[in-house]
Amino acid sequence: MQNIAEFRIIGRIGSAEIKDKVAFLDIAANYGRKVGNEWEDDTHWNRVTLFGKNIARAEKMGKGDLVHATGRVRQSRYERNGETVYGVDLIVDRIAVIAKNGRPADDQHDDDA
């Protein structure tokens, strides 16, 4: 049996940082949370990393687009000033636009991935 660590995020793009060989998207996902007798949205921001053909896809996406991203979780570790620093990277394998700023996306799925 293969061991895996993976993620799935459905949320709206808040910002994008596109570079030559890597892209980063900040995606907001909302969860319901009960506060007293009322339900409120509890927004969680997730920074995902894209490589290869997913960079070209990210270039076509904009702030507010609803996206579905899946991929693998990678833990990183390095030394800084004698201390070990741990981090978690969310590496996108597949990403698709569900809606462009509130309008359904047409033909944005990545069936060739």
Side-chain angles (χ1 to χ4, degrees):
M1 179 195 275
Q2 180 182 11
N3 297 321
I4 60 172
E6 60 188 11
F7 72 89
R8 173 188 317 257
I9 299 171
I10 298 174
R12 297 208 177 268
I13 295 175
S15 66
E17 182 181 348
I18 311 290
K19 298 186 176 188
D20 187 34
K21 296 188 180 193
V22 65
F24 302 99
L25 295 178
D26 292 324
I27 302 173
N30 295 321
Y31 299 88
R33 178 171 61 113
K34 194 165 187 178
V35 177
N37 291 328
E38 301 292 322
W39 284 93
E40 295 181 1
D41 278 342
D42 188 14
T43 303
H44 294 258
W45 285 96
N46 303 276
R47 186 167 179 86
V48 299
T49 306
L50 301 91
F51 296 104
K53 63 185 172 185
N54 285 325
I55 296 172
R57 287 191 178 104
E59 290 174 330
K60 297 175 186 174
M61 298 174 186
K63 184 175 182 175
D65 288 355
L66 181 65
V67 296
H68 179 205
T70 60
R72 63 192 192 288
V73 179
R74 180 179 68 186
Q75 184 173 349
S76 59
R77 177 178 66 194
Y78 60 93
E79 297 291 323
R80 180 175 40 185
N81 300 329
E83 297 287 326
T84 302
V85 178
Y86 294 93
V88 175
D89 300 316
L90 302 175
I91 311 298
V92 171
D93 291 329
R94 298 177 61 104
I95 189 164
V97 175
I98 298 171
K100 301 279 289 168
N101 283 317
R103 297 183 320 268
D106 44 311
D107 205 27
Q108 289 291 324
H109 296 283
D110 62 343
D111 295 331
D112 58 338

